[in-house]
Structures are given as C-alpha cells and as structure tokens.
Amino acid sequence: MRHWVVLSGAVSLAACGGSTAPQSAGSSAPPASTPTATHSFVNPTEVKTYEGIGAVQHYEYKTDSRIGAQSGQLYAGDANTVRDSGISLSYNPRDAIFELTINRPLGLVGVSNFRFQDPAHRTDFGGAREPQAGVPNIEAIAPGRQIQYLETGSGSGSALGAASPYFPGAYSPTGPNYTAGADQYSYEGRTFFYQKPGTTTKYVTYAGYVANRISAAQVQPDPAAPPYLEQTYSFDRAAFVFGERTGNSAVPRSGTATFSGDMLATMVFNPELDNVSGFPTYFQWIVGSQTSQINFSTLAVSTNFTGTVTAPTLDAYTSWASVMPAGSQFFAAATSTIDLVNKGGFTGAFTSARFTRPGLADFNVVIAGSSIDGAFFGPAAEEIGGGFRIVGGTPDERIDIMGAFTGKQP
C-alpha cells in the first residue's frame, strides 16, 4: 500500500528514487571527454525533437463524504495518427533536459513545452520516495525494461488521517490510492516516463504521461445541515512512441517480416453503469507485448497484443468496486494496410479484444470503433512503432483502451 506524506504549506515533489543508474535519452551516461561526433537515438549528442504516435485520455469528477459516488463526470479520449501527431518531445543531451508538448484538444489533454529540468525530477520505484499514484510500475510486470521516470509537482494543505470526521477508518487497504485531502488541500503532479532507447529497440521507444490534479474543500450549502468534504479530481493519461523514422524510399517493397516488441496501454473499464448505481470508473494500465506480421508485397499488416492489467488506483469516498482485477490478461488482434504516401505508415482497425479475469468470467469487448496507426523506424525500416485505440460499444458502459507499441525484427 502506498504511504502518503502529509503536505503542509507549498512543497515541491521533485524526488529521487533508489536507483543509481544514470538517466538520459539513451543507454549510457554522458562521457567524461568530448562527445562523439556521431549522433544516434541510443547515444544522443544533438538536440532533437521527436513527434509522438499514440493516444491520450482525460477524466474528471467529484466525490464527497455524503454520497459515496463519482459525480460531475467528464471523460474524453483521442488517438492521433502518423501525420497528425499533436505530441512532441525534445531532448537536450548537453543538459539532460526533456521538454514535452501534448496538444490533443479532442482528448482534453494539453501540455505546453513542459520542462523536466531539475536533476531531482528523476525518480523510480523502490526507494523512500516513489512516482505518484497512477504511475505504472512496469518493471514489476516486465522486468528488465529499464523504465526511466521524471516527475514534478506541488501541493498544499493536509491529507486526512484515520481520525478524520469526514473519512473514518483506514484509507484504501485494497490497493494504490490517491490522497484524501482535508479542507483546502490541493495537489498537482506530472510524470513523464519512457523506456531507455537501446533496451529492446534502437530507433524507437515508448513513453507515458500521468497528470493528477486533486483538491478538497469543506462544503456547507445549507446552514442547518452539517458540512461535508468534497474532493475534486482531474486526471490525464498518455501512451505514445517516438524515435527516428524511416524515409519512405527505404521501406521494403517486397518480402515479409515479423516485428516483435513491447506494448503499453492506459484504459478505463466500467461495464457496470447500467447494473450498479454509482459504480466508479478508474484508470488502469496494461503492460505487455505485440507481434506484427508484415507482407511488404501485399501491404498487409497483422498485429496481436497480449498484456497484464495493473490494479486500479482508488479515490476517496467511493465503493472502490472494480470488475477488472490486477493480473487480468488482455488479448487483441488488428489488421492494417501500409500506405506510405497518404498515411506515412500503416493504418487499420481491431478485429477482436478480450480479457481473462481471475475469479471472473472472460470479457469480450464489443468494439464500436478502433484504430491502429504505425510507422517504420531506423535507416532501413528495422523497427516499427505506433499507437492504438479500442472503444467499447455496449450501451451504458465506459470502456476505452489507448496504447502504444514498439517492435523489431529478430
């Protein structure tokens, strides 16, 4: 269970974790002597800006100490394409500074030139300080992935204790949680994380973004009624790939190839809105892999995904009910077509998506809409990367799966 530090006054949450390995856009520490003249994605020597391919999600709502449900809900999601990114990431190897921009208004996610510039922004899992709630511990599911985390934030006010009249008892004993704030509590945290280039791929890698904005205030609209505590949440999530893309002329025009690699997705999964009053919606991550079969002669692409679902991050005052337990398995299949001239890569849709759940029946997603958009990376299309989305179509369900994937040839 995550242990929260009570915030008193305005404080910075830029923290270091327990790892002593250096973090950079590539796989090695900055050299002590003059940098090499040859730039590569794994060992960067030049300032570069990369366009991301992936998807974003936004969810905001309120809870309060009287009703035990999420109210004022607003959800949005958006998946971009190879030619319409809206996500960019700059890296300056001289100063080891990342600068992130996300402009996806349909997904209600906007981040303008946000800089992770303090060395103390680097953090990880396993130390006295860890990434904020809602950030996936990818290494716990897929060891050896070398995920780098950068985080910054601030907060004011105090968290509620077990003796609070607004929130009696222990908080969220069943899994990770967001802070339950006392009157006038506020918090905002931003985390950018990515797989270090060179770990599984040399020319493309995947990344994620988490933004949590939480506040709490005492409310008493009726002087004759006792006051209650209202908690407000606003969450952003993103998963995308970035790297050095292949020129169209260097993509093969014949032959076949298999590309295997990693997959990361963020999702909301709530099929109970029509069955259980006030059933809450939570974000969960999926960590896994993908395999794509590509026929360059026929331009056909077939992709299969598998993944493991993380536990939901729980809020204050709701039931904490969830029908997607941690450890559930995700399976999906998609088909695409290469169109370098018009699309800049390959595009398509999903044919199936399902979950196997511990102790529960399998769940087949009824797909209302879906997309998969990918591109080739490396000087000779040695690798692929892209993003995807699967939207559930059953009435009175909120199911939306957004992800990114990478792959290379054996």
Side-chain angles (χ1 to χ4, degrees):
M1 182 175 73
R2 182 179 299 272
H3 298 283
W4 287 94
V5 177
V6 174
L7 301 178
S8 179
V11 299
S12 172
L13 299 184
C16 289
S19 173
T20 58
Q23 291 185 355
S24 69
S27 63
S28 61
S33 58
T34 303
T36 62
T38 303
H39 167 87
S40 74
F41 189 58
V42 172
N43 295 295
T45 61
E46 304 171 9
V47 177
K48 291 282 187 177
T49 298
Y50 303 96
E51 296 298 309
I53 309 172
V56 302
Q57 291 178 303
H58 174 85
Y59 185 44
E60 61 183 75
Y61 61 94
K62 296 181 178 181
T63 63
D64 71 55
S65 55
R66 303 167 305 163
I67 62 176
Q70 296 176 352
S71 63
Q73 302 169 21
L74 175 62
Y75 173 79
D78 185 35
N80 66 16
T81 67
V82 175
R83 295 276 176 81
D84 176 27
S85 173
I87 301 174
S88 68
L89 181 70
S90 297
Y91 179 68
N92 182 340
R94 175 187 174 94
D95 302 313
I97 291 176
F98 288 88
E99 190 169 285
L100 176 66
T101 295
I102 301 178
N103 182 24
R104 301 303 303 177
L106 293 180
L108 300 182
V109 178
V111 185
S112 180
N113 299 318
F114 196 87
R115 291 166 63 88
F116 294 90
Q117 63 187 26
D118 186 340
H121 287 163
R122 297 177 179 86
T123 186
D124 63 12
F125 288 92
R129 297 183 178 182
E130 298 188 343
Q132 64 179 327
V135 176
N137 187 352
I138 295 174
E139 295 277 346
I141 297 175
R145 291 302 188 268
Q146 296 196 54
I147 307 301
Q148 311 295 301
Y149 297 89
L150 297 103
E151 182 169 297
T152 181
S154 62
S156 63
S158 300
L160 290 178
S164 166
Y166 300 109
F167 199 81
Y171 179 62
S172 182
T174 58
N177 56 266
Y178 304 108
T179 298
D183 185 27
Q184 301 303 309
Y185 171 86
S186 67
Y187 167 84
E188 178 173 352
R190 299 174 188 261
T191 309
F192 164 68
F193 59 94
Y194 65 99
Q195 184 183 58
K196 183 178 288 186
T199 304
T200 58
T201 47
K202 294 172 58 178
Y203 304 104
V204 63
T205 196
Y206 63 90
Y209 173 72
V210 171
N212 297 329
R213 292 169 289 273
I214 304 171
S215 63
Q218 180 176 294
V219 179
Q220 189 175 17
D222 183 356
Y228 62 90
L229 199 66
E230 182 178 78
Q231 187 117 339
T232 300
Y233 302 88
S234 179
F235 300 136
D236 294 337
R237 300 290 185 267
F240 58 94
V241 300
F242 65 96
E244 298 180 343
R245 296 188 192 174
T246 308
N248 285 356
S249 62
V251 176
R253 298 301 196 268
S254 62
T256 62
T258 299
F259 295 81
S260 298
D262 295 336
M263 179 269 292
L264 175 71
T266 172
M267 74 169 182
V268 290
F269 183 88
N270 188 348
E272 298 297 321
L273 294 174
D274 206 27
N275 302 320
V276 181
S277 177
F279 200 87
T281 297
Y282 302 114
F283 278 120
Q284 293 178 262
W285 291 91
I286 306 173
V287 178
S289 60
Q290 70 83 30
T291 299
S292 295
Q293 306 285 343
I294 299 182
N295 188 319
F296 291 101
S297 299
T298 64
L299 307 179
V301 182
S302 176
T303 305
N304 288 281
F305 296 90
T306 62
T308 300
V309 182
T310 67
T313 306
L314 307 176
D315 52 21
Y317 308 119
T318 62
S319 65
W320 305 330
S322 171
V323 291
M324 185 58 71
S328 297
Q329 298 296 300
F330 169 70
F331 305 92
T335 59
S336 311
T337 301
I338 299 174
D339 185 351
L340 299 175
V341 174
N342 296 302
K343 304 295 185 181
F346 52 92
T347 62
F350 279 78
T351 57
S352 65
R354 65 184 179 91
F355 294 90
T356 60
R357 303 177 293 173
L360 297 170
D362 293 356
F363 189 97
N364 292 305
V365 179
V366 177
I367 301 175
S370 66
S371 63
I372 180 170
D373 293 89
F376 296 94
F377 293 80
E382 296 93 335
E383 298 174 357
I384 61 171
F388 64 89
R389 182 182 188 183
I390 304 170
V391 183
T394 302
D396 301 308
E397 292 184 354
R398 179 181 287 131
I399 297 176
D400 205 354
I401 306 163
M402 309 272 201
F405 62 93
T406 60
K408 67 177 181 180
Q409 300 183 55

